[in-house]
Amino acid sequence: MAVYTGDARRAVAFPLGGIGTGHVALCGDGALRQWQLSGVPNHRGFLPDSFFALRVSSLEPPDDVVRLLRSAPIAPHPRPAANVSDAEVPDRDEPPLWPYVESTTFEAAYPFARVTYHDPALPLAVSLEAHTPFVPLDADASSLPLVRYRFTLTNDSAEFRHGFLLGTLQNAAGWDGVTPIAGTRGAGYGGNVNRVLRRPGQSGVLMDNPALADDDPAAGELLLWTDAPAAILPRALDAAALLRFVETAKLVTPTQLGDYSGAALRAALAHGPSPMRAPSGPSPAGHTWDAGAAVAFALAPGERTTIDIVHAWWFPNRYADMDRFGPQHPYGPTRFWVGNHYATRFGGALDVLDAYLADRERLDAASHAWADAVAGSDLPEPLREVIAAQGTLVRSPSVFRTADGRTYGFEGALGASTRNWNGDAGGSCPLNCNHVFNYEQALARLFPALGRDMRETEFAIQDAAGSIPHRVVLPLYLPQLHGVPIGGPERPALDGMLGAILKTYRSVLDGAGVDWLRSQWPSLDRLMSHISEMWDKSGDGVLRGDQPVTYDISLHGPNMFVGALWLAALRAMHEMSGILGLESKFQDRFVQASAAYDELLWNGEFYAQPPTGEAYDFGAGCLSDQLLGQWWAHQLGLGHLLPADRVRTALASIVKYNLRHHFEPHGYREFADGDETGLVVCSWPHGGRPAVPLRYCDEVWTGVEYQVAAHCFYEDLPELGLAIVNGVRGRYDGTRRNPFNEVECGDHYVRAMAGWSLLPAWTDGAFRPGRYPYVAGTEWGELTIADDTTVTRQRR
């Protein structure tokens, strides 16, 4: 379990929420921020008056202590990191209505976050464990729009203590997720309705806004719920009213009779423990309501209790209103409704809650099993951190599912890193950008059905000649980006098309089945024919000409970045031909191409590029991505694509020349600075840097770092791989950057899902005894590698 204390809590923001459901972040100081429940990516989204607080009283000696369950905002870093916003505290300058706790400790073992509150004036030990169920291979179980907050209160004093734990939530129906809210005043608010929920052993507040049209993007429901004895304030004007409700609450009968049993507490709360009146009816124009649940508790010395509070939400409307790449289209004000998949499974926020409650034991047990499998493994600590955090990328606002069940992804979420060319709210560079998703492994490995779905979408937009544009236009019935400038890069990305073949074979290995592969084969065969006709015109197996790639430019002439992907694709096509019982035409081409690329590009240390004189070519440079295809080949069990000794030498050269331990401003985006450690995209160790070098060459991309590190593990170069991963985690240690948000062209950038490959690389790449988590297409659990190389699996 990763632990963050002191200044290391500053930028911690732990996403909570399901796949494609939107999320809220629990931060290092214990506050809730980054509210993105409606699915609009916006790290600066702030929902006021949504917090937790505690009042603790005792009869003799007389005592009454109140605290907001968060610490004071941590002072900004004297040298804030560029391109990130996780350390921002929207209410930093607002004086607290109750005192903050003195400090917090934040611990994480995904999907669980734990906050321990420290304050010498509090007579109780107080901690919070928050999570949204996360079960590998079960996308539905991992797609609940809900957060369970479990508070543990322990009376470690010598006196009897009683009091109230307050959970609050603002009715956000009508909020667009971006426009700032002032208290309970905000654009889109007005007509909000809060209804008391009362069930046997349960209570809460169900929130909606009937004044909104059913198809309004902000129409939906929220729920504040507990199954503990609670007093409910269904409507409040502001946070002061919520806290005043707790200050005036009383437990007269239990106090007089000394009966603090659950039944006695519920009876005392049934008719209202506070004289305060709640406002009635829908909220006035431009305003919404807050709501609170004050949970009563009583603890003898040494006694402990747990209190569950749930936030659930349901926003059914999603529109394809994101940025559109390619030429401007004359769609005008037309809205394209695509919906949210989770909303088709539930009829509202209460249905979400009931689905969780009906399966709570299994969901929580499976979530704990995954968290324990990672946190308790024998992976080196930085690898445990990376593997644990990969789930946050899968369930970030960068990934969503439409009502028809299809899976889509932005490259990331617009944020501080995109304000040089865009805004900081919405999705970055839509959609399903195949050359960026070339690095993604976590989504497809943890939830193979979603990975298969993305392949089907990719081939659904293939043109008759076999080409695949690297971005998907949504809805799918709209014209796709064929024969037009796309953007990032201008023409269909060759590396992305080659990756489509590798991702298809990955799905086959993860259990997609022969019938599924047979259904995709015509598309695969057409794609390979297109690539050969377009770029291998000489027939020698080497791809030449204008080769659009992930650096948002084209490379020209032979290069191993494209070449190794091509070699891996040839090997994958050969294997898939065999599965289908077809005669393979790909193995001979692989042998020919491998020898040709090796002879053309090997310079004794790494695979360079013959000079072409074209802008953005890297020439004599050492490209960190030069062996991306070999990284893929190892994951797919395809063996070495090039001489193994040269592969290892090239990897060692990449780390030797590109792993920096100090950075100066370089004119590109800065994702590492000062004396931090990071792997640059490309360097020219022996000179020869072109006048117009490879775009982004001086930047540091975590996705590239993770694939190089994983490749080092596959090649039994663990020290080199760990040096890279230690550098990444050193930058994302909470002091200046969020350990749960790796940034590139946007927050929660999907290229960083390459980090998942560290797990199979460590466990499969060399003999390393120990206990490790595994996810294998149709099962997951823990495996133990014994000293005698015996492997045993405990399936979950």
Side-chain angles (χ1 to χ4, degrees), residues 752-777:
M753 284 194 267
W756 179 262
S757 66
L758 296 169
L759 175 59
W762 186 265
T763 57
D764 300 344
F767 174 59
R768 299 183 178 98
R771 183 166 61 92
Y772 307 106
Y774 77 92
V775 180

Side-chain angles (χ1 to χ4, degrees), residues 65 126 320 396 420 589 649:
V65 180
V126 185
S396 76
N420 64 316
R589 295 184 70 191
T649 298

Side-chain angles (χ1 to χ4, degrees), residues 397-569:
S398 299
V399 177
F400 64 93
R401 299 181 70 189
T402 49
D404 59 7
R406 288 184 181 268
T407 305
Y408 296 94
F410 300 104
E411 289 186 26
L414 294 174
S417 66
T418 60
R419 290 180 66 176
N420 64 316
W421 71 279
N422 204 315
D424 61 4
S428 175
C429 305
L431 265 176
N432 291 23
C433 182
N434 60 14
H435 62 75
V436 174
F437 272 87
N438 262 5
Y439 298 76
E440 177 275 311
Q441 299 293 336
L443 175 66
R445 292 297 196 181
L446 282 162
F447 303 101
L450 304 188
R452 289 197 299 274
D453 172 70
M454 294 188 79
R455 300 291 70 69
E456 292 168 10
T457 298
E458 190 166 29
F459 289 129
I461 67 167
Q462 185 179 34
D463 71 12
S467 177
I468 301 175
H470 52 273
R471 301 190 191 278
V472 174
V473 176
L474 190 65
L476 290 178
Y477 57 74
L478 291 177
Q480 298 297 318
L481 297 170
H482 298 300
V484 298
I486 299 173
E490 181 176 333
R491 289 169 294 282
L494 175 56
D495 54 339
M497 286 187 273
L498 292 167
I501 296 162
L502 303 175
K503 296 167 198 168
T504 302
Y505 187 41
R506 177 181 63 192
S507 289
V508 172
L509 295 178
D510 279 342
V514 175
D515 290 342
W516 182 83
L517 173 59
R518 186 172 289 112
S519 71
Q520 309 305 314
W521 185 255
S523 296
L524 290 166
D525 197 40
R526 193 162 67 248
L527 176 57
M528 286 296 281
S529 295
H530 167 70
I531 293 170
S532 296
E533 293 166 7
M534 188 77 178
W535 286 283
D536 186 17
K537 294 178 180 179
S538 68
D540 65 353
V542 177
L543 306 188
R544 295 179 171 85
D546 185 288
Q547 301 162 60
V549 292
T550 197
Y551 310 109
D552 298 339
I553 49 85
S554 289
L555 295 173
H556 306 82
N559 66 87
M560 195 57 83
F561 174 62
V562 169
L565 288 168
W566 167 239
L567 296 177

Side-chain angles (χ1 to χ4, degrees), residues 237-266:
L237 295 173
D238 52 28
L242 293 165
L243 295 173
R244 185 62 181 150
F245 178 66
V246 177
E247 290 172 342
T248 59
K250 48 197 172 185
L251 299 170
V252 176
T253 302
T255 301
Q256 296 301 314
L257 301 182
D259 181 2
Y260 289 93
S261 64
L265 291 177
R266 290 185 190 278

Side-chain angles (χ1 to χ4, degrees), residues 234-386:
R235 290 168 294 280
L237 295 173
D238 52 28
L242 293 165
L243 295 173
R244 185 62 181 150
F245 178 66
V246 177
E247 290 172 342
T248 59
K250 48 197 172 185
L251 299 170
V252 176
T253 302
T255 301
Q256 296 301 314
L257 301 182
D259 181 2
Y260 289 93
S261 64
L265 291 177
R266 290 185 190 278
L269 299 171
H271 303 293
S274 169
M276 280 184 56
R277 294 182 61 181
S280 60
S283 64
H287 291 258
T288 188
W289 299 127
D290 296 333
V295 177
F297 63 87
L299 296 170
E303 198 171 6
R304 173 179 299 176
T305 190
T306 59
I307 296 171
D308 282 1
I309 295 175
V310 167
H311 288 162
W313 60 92
W314 181 82
F315 290 92
N317 300 317
R318 179 185 288 271
Y319 290 86
D321 56 0
M322 67 282 293
D323 297 337
R324 292 193 180 277
F325 277 52
Q328 187 73 35
H329 291 284
Y331 299 138
T334 303
R335 297 193 304 175
F336 297 104
W337 185 91
V338 293
N340 282 315
H341 176 65
Y342 78 83
T344 68
R345 299 173 52 214
F346 310 111
L350 198 55
D351 281 355
V352 173
L353 172 72
D354 287 342
Y356 169 65
L357 295 179
D359 204 15
R360 175 162 47 176
E361 285 191 18
R362 182 187 73 88
L363 293 173
D364 289 357
S367 300
H368 274 293
W370 175 250
D372 293 344
V374 177
S377 74
D378 291 317
L379 290 167
E381 182 177 353
L383 269 63
R384 290 199 302 270
E385 291 183 14
V386 174

